[in-house]
mmCIF file of all heavy atoms in Angstrom:
data_model
loop_
_atom_site.group_PDB
_atom_site.id
_atom_site.type_symbol
_atom_site.label_atom_id
_atom_site.label_comp_id
_atom_site.label_asym_id
_atom_site.label_seq_id
_atom_site.Cartn_x
_atom_site.Cartn_y
_atom_site.Cartn_z
ATOM 1 N N ILE A 346 107.572 80.622 118.979
ATOM 2 C CA ILE A 346 106.462 81.405 118.452
ATOM 3 C C ILE A 346 107.044 82.615 117.720
ATOM 4 O O ILE A 346 108.107 83.122 118.078
ATOM 5 C CB ILE A 346 105.465 81.856 119.546
ATOM 6 C CG1 ILE A 346 106.187 82.682 120.626
ATOM 7 C CG2 ILE A 346 104.751 80.681 120.161
ATOM 8 C CD1 ILE A 346 105.250 83.272 121.664
ATOM 9 N N THR A 347 106.369 83.066 116.676
ATOM 10 C CA THR A 347 106.845 84.183 115.860
ATOM 11 C C THR A 347 106.130 85.466 116.262
ATOM 12 O O THR A 347 104.900 85.506 116.331
ATOM 13 C CB THR A 347 106.614 83.901 114.369
ATOM 14 O OG1 THR A 347 107.329 82.718 114.002
ATOM 15 C CG2 THR A 347 107.120 85.062 113.519
ATOM 16 N N ILE A 348 106.900 86.510 116.521
ATOM 17 C CA ILE A 348 106.362 87.804 116.939
ATOM 18 C C ILE A 348 106.716 88.858 115.897
ATOM 19 O O ILE A 348 107.882 89.005 115.529
ATOM 20 C CB ILE A 348 106.930 88.229 118.311
ATOM 21 C CG1 ILE A 348 106.651 87.154 119.374
ATOM 22 C CG2 ILE A 348 106.359 89.579 118.737
ATOM 23 C CD1 ILE A 348 105.196 86.948 119.681
ATOM 24 N N LYS A 349 105.705 89.580 115.406
ATOM 25 C CA LYS A 349 105.950 90.661 114.450
ATOM 26 C C LYS A 349 106.381 91.924 115.184
ATOM 27 O O LYS A 349 105.880 92.230 116.263
ATOM 28 C CB LYS A 349 104.686 90.953 113.640
ATOM 29 C CG LYS A 349 104.276 89.843 112.694
ATOM 30 C CD LYS A 349 103.039 90.240 111.913
ATOM 31 C CE LYS A 349 102.611 89.132 110.961
ATOM 32 N NZ LYS A 349 101.388 89.521 110.198
ATOM 33 N N LYS A 350 107.289 92.641 114.575
ATOM 34 C CA LYS A 350 107.730 93.910 115.144
ATOM 35 C C LYS A 350 106.702 94.995 114.834
ATOM 36 O O LYS A 350 106.328 95.195 113.681
ATOM 37 C CB LYS A 350 109.083 94.320 114.571
ATOM 38 C CG LYS A 350 109.655 95.593 115.205
ATOM 39 C CD LYS A 350 111.037 95.920 114.658
ATOM 40 C CE LYS A 350 111.622 97.137 115.354
ATOM 41 N NZ LYS A 350 112.984 97.456 114.878
ATOM 42 N N PRO A 351 106.208 95.707 115.847
ATOM 43 C CA PRO A 351 105.239 96.778 115.580
ATOM 44 C C PRO A 351 105.898 97.961 114.889
ATOM 45 O O PRO A 351 107.110 98.165 115.004
ATOM 46 C CB PRO A 351 104.750 97.160 116.986
ATOM 47 C CG PRO A 351 105.879 96.801 117.893
ATOM 48 C CD PRO A 351 106.520 95.583 117.280
ATOM 49 N N LEU A 352 105.089 98.714 114.162
ATOM 50 C CA LEU A 352 105.592 99.882 113.458
ATOM 51 C C LEU A 352 105.686 101.057 114.429
ATOM 52 O O LEU A 352 104.734 101.796 114.636
ATOM 53 C CB LEU A 352 104.674 100.237 112.282
ATOM 54 C CG LEU A 352 105.069 101.463 111.457
ATOM 55 C CD1 LEU A 352 106.456 101.280 110.866
ATOM 56 C CD2 LEU A 352 104.047 101.728 110.355
ATOM 57 N N ILE A 353 106.855 101.187 115.059
ATOM 58 C CA ILE A 353 107.121 102.325 115.947
ATOM 59 C C ILE A 353 108.333 103.053 115.379
ATOM 60 O O ILE A 353 109.459 102.562 115.439
ATOM 61 C CB ILE A 353 107.406 101.866 117.396
ATOM 62 C CG1 ILE A 353 106.176 101.161 117.985
ATOM 63 C CG2 ILE A 353 107.800 103.060 118.262
ATOM 64 C CD1 ILE A 353 106.368 100.661 119.405
ATOM 65 N N THR A 354 108.096 104.212 114.790
ATOM 66 C CA THR A 354 109.188 104.972 114.183
ATOM 67 C C THR A 354 109.805 105.968 115.159
ATOM 68 O O THR A 354 110.920 106.427 114.953
ATOM 69 C CB THR A 354 108.679 105.729 112.950
ATOM 70 O OG1 THR A 354 107.560 106.544 113.330
ATOM 71 C CG2 THR A 354 108.235 104.757 111.868
ATOM 72 N N ASP A 355 109.069 106.289 116.219
ATOM 73 C CA ASP A 355 109.536 107.287 117.180
ATOM 74 C C ASP A 355 108.969 106.928 118.552
ATOM 75 O O ASP A 355 107.774 107.108 118.797
ATOM 76 C CB ASP A 355 109.080 108.677 116.740
ATOM 77 C CG ASP A 355 109.576 109.785 117.665
ATOM 78 O OD1 ASP A 355 110.236 109.472 118.671
ATOM 79 O OD2 ASP A 355 109.290 110.966 117.385
ATOM 80 N N LEU A 356 109.812 106.402 119.439
ATOM 81 C CA LEU A 356 109.342 105.989 120.765
ATOM 82 C C LEU A 356 108.708 107.137 121.536
ATOM 83 O O LEU A 356 107.729 106.958 122.260
ATOM 84 C CB LEU A 356 110.506 105.410 121.569
ATOM 85 C CG LEU A 356 110.806 103.923 121.398
ATOM 86 C CD1 LEU A 356 112.036 103.558 122.205
ATOM 87 C CD2 LEU A 356 109.622 103.069 121.815
ATOM 88 N N ALA A 357 109.257 108.335 121.393
ATOM 89 C CA ALA A 357 108.717 109.492 122.109
ATOM 90 C C ALA A 357 107.287 109.778 121.683
ATOM 91 O O ALA A 357 106.458 110.217 122.488
ATOM 92 C CB ALA A 357 109.597 110.713 121.873
ATOM 93 N N LEU A 358 106.977 109.516 120.415
ATOM 94 C CA LEU A 358 105.635 109.747 119.901
ATOM 95 C C LEU A 358 104.626 108.809 120.557
ATOM 96 O O LEU A 358 103.477 109.181 120.808
ATOM 97 C CB LEU A 358 105.637 109.550 118.381
ATOM 98 C CG LEU A 358 104.353 109.856 117.619
ATOM 99 C CD1 LEU A 358 103.996 111.323 117.742
ATOM 100 C CD2 LEU A 358 104.507 109.473 116.145
ATOM 101 N N TYR A 359 105.051 107.590 120.860
ATOM 102 C CA TYR A 359 104.156 106.581 121.412
ATOM 103 C C TYR A 359 104.134 106.569 122.942
ATOM 104 O O TYR A 359 103.124 106.202 123.534
ATOM 105 C CB TYR A 359 104.568 105.191 120.916
ATOM 106 C CG TYR A 359 104.225 104.936 119.471
ATOM 107 C CD1 TYR A 359 104.940 105.531 118.446
ATOM 108 C CD2 TYR A 359 103.177 104.098 119.117
ATOM 109 C CE1 TYR A 359 104.635 105.307 117.117
ATOM 110 C CE2 TYR A 359 102.857 103.852 117.789
ATOM 111 C CZ TYR A 359 103.590 104.465 116.797
ATOM 112 O OH TYR A 359 103.277 104.244 115.482
ATOM 113 N N TYR A 360 105.252 106.955 123.565
ATOM 114 C CA TYR A 360 105.358 106.797 125.016
ATOM 115 C C TYR A 360 105.806 108.056 125.755
ATOM 116 O O TYR A 360 105.926 108.023 126.979
ATOM 117 C CB TYR A 360 106.325 105.654 125.334
ATOM 118 C CG TYR A 360 105.822 104.304 124.854
ATOM 119 C CD1 TYR A 360 106.370 103.690 123.739
ATOM 120 C CD2 TYR A 360 104.774 103.663 125.511
ATOM 121 C CE1 TYR A 360 105.899 102.462 123.288
ATOM 122 C CE2 TYR A 360 104.297 102.437 125.072
ATOM 123 C CZ TYR A 360 104.862 101.839 123.961
ATOM 124 O OH TYR A 360 104.388 100.640 123.528
ATOM 125 N N GLY A 361 106.063 109.124 125.050
ATOM 126 C CA GLY A 361 106.494 110.350 125.708
ATOM 127 C C GLY A 361 108.009 110.487 125.707
ATOM 128 O O GLY A 361 108.747 109.493 125.652
ATOM 129 N N ASN A 362 108.476 111.727 125.787
ATOM 130 C CA ASN A 362 109.922 111.996 125.719
ATOM 131 C C ASN A 362 110.700 111.382 126.878
ATOM 132 O O ASN A 362 111.856 110.984 126.726
ATOM 133 C CB ASN A 362 110.163 113.510 125.686
ATOM 134 C CG ASN A 362 109.692 114.138 124.386
ATOM 135 O OD1 ASN A 362 109.878 113.557 123.325
ATOM 136 N ND2 ASN A 362 109.092 115.315 124.467
ATOM 137 N N ASP A 363 110.068 111.297 128.057
ATOM 138 C CA ASP A 363 110.793 110.799 129.230
ATOM 139 C C ASP A 363 111.116 109.315 129.130
ATOM 140 O O ASP A 363 112.001 108.815 129.830
ATOM 141 C CB ASP A 363 109.989 111.085 130.509
ATOM 142 C CG ASP A 363 108.638 110.383 130.515
ATOM 143 O OD1 ASP A 363 108.058 110.217 129.420
ATOM 144 O OD2 ASP A 363 108.165 110.012 131.606
ATOM 145 N N PHE A 364 110.420 108.594 128.236
ATOM 146 C CA PHE A 364 110.645 107.152 128.146
ATOM 147 C C PHE A 364 111.872 106.809 127.301
ATOM 148 O O PHE A 364 112.429 105.717 127.435
ATOM 149 C CB PHE A 364 109.412 106.454 127.557
ATOM 150 C CG PHE A 364 109.550 104.957 127.490
ATOM 151 C CD1 PHE A 364 109.653 104.196 128.648
ATOM 152 C CD2 PHE A 364 109.589 104.303 126.274
ATOM 153 C CE1 PHE A 364 109.793 102.819 128.594
ATOM 154 C CE2 PHE A 364 109.727 102.935 126.197
ATOM 155 C CZ PHE A 364 109.824 102.188 127.359
ATOM 156 N N VAL A 365 112.297 107.713 126.444
ATOM 157 C CA VAL A 365 113.399 107.407 125.521
ATOM 158 C C VAL A 365 114.664 107.029 126.269
ATOM 159 O O VAL A 365 115.334 106.037 125.949
ATOM 160 C CB VAL A 365 113.663 108.598 124.584
ATOM 161 C CG1 VAL A 365 114.877 108.329 123.701
ATOM 162 C CG2 VAL A 365 112.434 108.880 123.719
ATOM 163 N N SER A 366 115.023 107.787 127.302
ATOM 164 C CA SER A 366 116.241 107.487 128.062
ATOM 165 C C SER A 366 116.092 106.176 128.838
ATOM 166 O O SER A 366 117.067 105.433 129.020
ATOM 167 C CB SER A 366 116.574 108.631 129.020
ATOM 168 O OG SER A 366 115.514 108.851 129.938
ATOM 169 N N VAL A 367 114.873 105.883 129.293
ATOM 170 C CA VAL A 367 114.615 104.610 129.992
ATOM 171 C C VAL A 367 114.835 103.446 129.031
ATOM 172 O O VAL A 367 115.481 102.444 129.368
ATOM 173 C CB VAL A 367 113.187 104.580 130.565
ATOM 174 C CG1 VAL A 367 112.900 103.230 131.218
ATOM 175 C CG2 VAL A 367 112.986 105.701 131.575
ATOM 176 N N HIS A 368 114.301 103.575 127.831
ATOM 177 C CA HIS A 368 114.469 102.523 126.823
ATOM 178 C C HIS A 368 115.949 102.303 126.508
ATOM 179 O O HIS A 368 116.410 101.155 126.407
ATOM 180 C CB HIS A 368 113.715 102.912 125.547
ATOM 181 C CG HIS A 368 114.058 102.059 124.360
ATOM 182 N ND1 HIS A 368 113.640 100.753 124.244
ATOM 183 C CD2 HIS A 368 114.815 102.324 123.249
ATOM 184 C CE1 HIS A 368 114.102 100.242 123.111
ATOM 185 N NE2 HIS A 368 114.814 101.173 122.498
ATOM 186 N N GLU A 369 116.693 103.382 126.356
ATOM 187 C CA GLU A 369 118.124 103.256 126.047
ATOM 188 C C GLU A 369 118.866 102.527 127.161
ATOM 189 O O GLU A 369 119.765 101.718 126.908
ATOM 190 C CB GLU A 369 118.717 104.646 125.816
ATOM 191 C CG GLU A 369 118.216 105.303 124.530
ATOM 192 C CD GLU A 369 118.665 106.744 124.389
ATOM 193 O OE1 GLU A 369 119.231 107.288 125.381
ATOM 194 O OE2 GLU A 369 118.456 107.338 123.317
ATOM 195 N N LYS A 370 118.486 102.798 128.405
ATOM 196 C CA LYS A 370 119.101 102.118 129.542
ATOM 197 C C LYS A 370 118.764 100.628 129.530
ATOM 198 O O LYS A 370 119.626 99.771 129.786
ATOM 199 C CB LYS A 370 118.620 102.755 130.845
ATOM 200 C CG LYS A 370 119.247 102.175 132.099
ATOM 201 C CD LYS A 370 118.736 102.896 133.345
ATOM 202 C CE LYS A 370 119.371 102.324 134.610
ATOM 203 N NZ LYS A 370 118.855 103.015 135.822
ATOM 204 N N ILE A 371 117.505 100.313 129.216
ATOM 205 C CA ILE A 371 117.066 98.911 129.154
ATOM 206 C C ILE A 371 117.828 98.163 128.072
ATOM 207 O O ILE A 371 118.369 97.071 128.297
ATOM 208 C CB ILE A 371 115.546 98.836 128.906
ATOM 209 C CG1 ILE A 371 114.774 99.359 130.123
ATOM 210 C CG2 ILE A 371 115.118 97.396 128.597
ATOM 211 C CD1 ILE A 371 113.281 99.508 129.897
ATOM 212 N N ILE A 372 117.884 98.739 126.878
ATOM 213 C CA ILE A 372 118.545 98.090 125.751
ATOM 214 C C ILE A 372 120.025 97.865 126.034
ATOM 215 O O ILE A 372 120.587 96.797 125.751
ATOM 216 C CB ILE A 372 118.369 98.933 124.469
ATOM 217 C CG1 ILE A 372 116.957 98.759 123.925
ATOM 218 C CG2 ILE A 372 119.372 98.543 123.403
ATOM 219 C CD1 ILE A 372 116.635 97.353 123.481
ATOM 220 N N LYS A 373 120.679 98.861 126.602
ATOM 221 C CA LYS A 373 122.106 98.729 126.905
ATOM 222 C C LYS A 373 122.355 97.578 127.857
ATOM 223 O O LYS A 373 123.292 96.787 127.674
ATOM 224 C CB LYS A 373 122.625 100.037 127.496
ATOM 225 C CG LYS A 373 124.119 100.005 127.814
ATOM 226 C CD LYS A 373 124.604 101.335 128.364
ATOM 227 C CE LYS A 373 126.093 101.304 128.687
ATOM 228 N NZ LYS A 373 126.578 102.600 129.229
ATOM 229 N N SER A 374 121.521 97.447 128.877
ATOM 230 C CA SER A 374 121.705 96.382 129.863
ATOM 231 C C SER A 374 121.386 95.013 129.277
ATOM 232 O O SER A 374 122.145 94.055 129.452
ATOM 233 C CB SER A 374 120.828 96.646 131.084
ATOM 234 O OG SER A 374 120.968 95.607 132.028
ATOM 235 N N LEU A 375 120.265 94.911 128.544
ATOM 236 C CA LEU A 375 119.848 93.608 128.024
ATOM 237 C C LEU A 375 120.773 93.106 126.921
ATOM 238 O O LEU A 375 120.856 91.899 126.681
ATOM 239 C CB LEU A 375 118.409 93.678 127.509
ATOM 240 C CG LEU A 375 117.320 93.982 128.552
ATOM 241 C CD1 LEU A 375 115.943 93.893 127.920
ATOM 242 C CD2 LEU A 375 117.406 93.041 129.755
ATOM 243 N N ASN A 376 121.444 94.008 126.254
ATOM 244 C CA ASN A 376 122.377 93.596 125.196
ATOM 245 C C ASN A 376 123.800 93.367 125.711
ATOM 246 O O ASN A 376 124.697 93.056 124.923
ATOM 247 C CB ASN A 376 122.406 94.639 124.073
ATOM 248 C CG ASN A 376 121.260 94.453 123.085
ATOM 249 O OD1 ASN A 376 120.852 93.332 122.810
ATOM 250 N ND2 ASN A 376 120.745 95.544 122.553
ATOM 251 N N THR A 377 123.998 93.520 127.018
ATOM 252 C CA THR A 377 125.311 93.257 127.612
ATOM 253 C C THR A 377 125.436 91.772 127.942
ATOM 254 O O THR A 377 124.565 91.187 128.594
ATOM 255 C CB THR A 377 125.502 94.085 128.901
ATOM 256 O OG1 THR A 377 125.383 95.480 128.577
ATOM 257 C CG2 THR A 377 126.858 93.821 129.515
ATOM 258 N N VAL A 378 126.513 91.166 127.484
ATOM 259 C CA VAL A 378 126.731 89.733 127.707
ATOM 260 C C VAL A 378 126.999 89.467 129.186
ATOM 261 O O VAL A 378 127.647 90.258 129.869
ATOM 262 C CB VAL A 378 127.910 89.228 126.845
ATOM 263 C CG1 VAL A 378 128.175 87.749 127.100
ATOM 264 C CG2 VAL A 378 127.612 89.471 125.367
ATOM 265 N N GLU A 379 126.455 88.353 129.680
ATOM 266 C CA GLU A 379 126.648 87.892 131.059
ATOM 267 C C GLU A 379 126.265 88.975 132.070
ATOM 268 O O GLU A 379 126.989 89.264 133.020
ATOM 269 C CB GLU A 379 128.096 87.425 131.274
ATOM 270 C CG GLU A 379 128.459 86.206 130.437
ATOM 271 C CD GLU A 379 129.808 85.612 130.802
ATOM 272 O OE1 GLU A 379 130.546 86.265 131.573
ATOM 273 O OE2 GLU A 379 130.120 84.504 130.331
ATOM 274 N N ASN A 380 125.100 89.548 131.856
ATOM 275 C CA ASN A 380 124.580 90.562 132.765
ATOM 276 C C ASN A 380 123.413 89.980 133.539
ATOM 277 O O ASN A 380 122.946 88.871 133.264
ATOM 278 C CB ASN A 380 124.139 91.796 131.972
ATOM 279 C CG ASN A 380 124.199 93.066 132.802
ATOM 280 O OD1 ASN A 380 124.514 93.029 133.982
ATOM 281 N ND2 ASN A 380 123.901 94.189 132.176
ATOM 282 N N LYS A 381 122.908 90.710 134.521
ATOM 283 C CA LYS A 381 121.768 90.255 135.304
ATOM 284 C C LYS A 381 120.945 91.459 135.716
ATOM 285 O O LYS A 381 121.292 92.610 135.420
ATOM 286 C CB LYS A 381 122.235 89.471 136.537
ATOM 287 C CG LYS A 381 123.186 90.247 137.447
ATOM 288 C CD LYS A 381 123.690 89.375 138.580
ATOM 289 C CE LYS A 381 124.663 90.158 139.474
ATOM 290 N NZ LYS A 381 125.126 89.328 140.615
#
Side-chain angles (χ1 to χ4, degrees):
I346 58 174
T347 300
I348 304 295
K349 292 181 180 180
K350 184 177 183 178
L352 179 59
I353 297 179
T354 55
D355 182 358
L356 273 177
L358 185 63
Y359 286 74
Y360 295 106
N362 291 320
D363 62 328
F364 182 65
V365 175
S366 60
V367 177
H368 168 72
E369 291 173 351
K370 183 178 180 181
I371 292 172
I372 284 296
K373 181 178 180 180
S374 178
L375 296 185
N376 277 325
T377 301
V378 178
E379 295 189 350
N380 206 357
K381 57 185 179 178

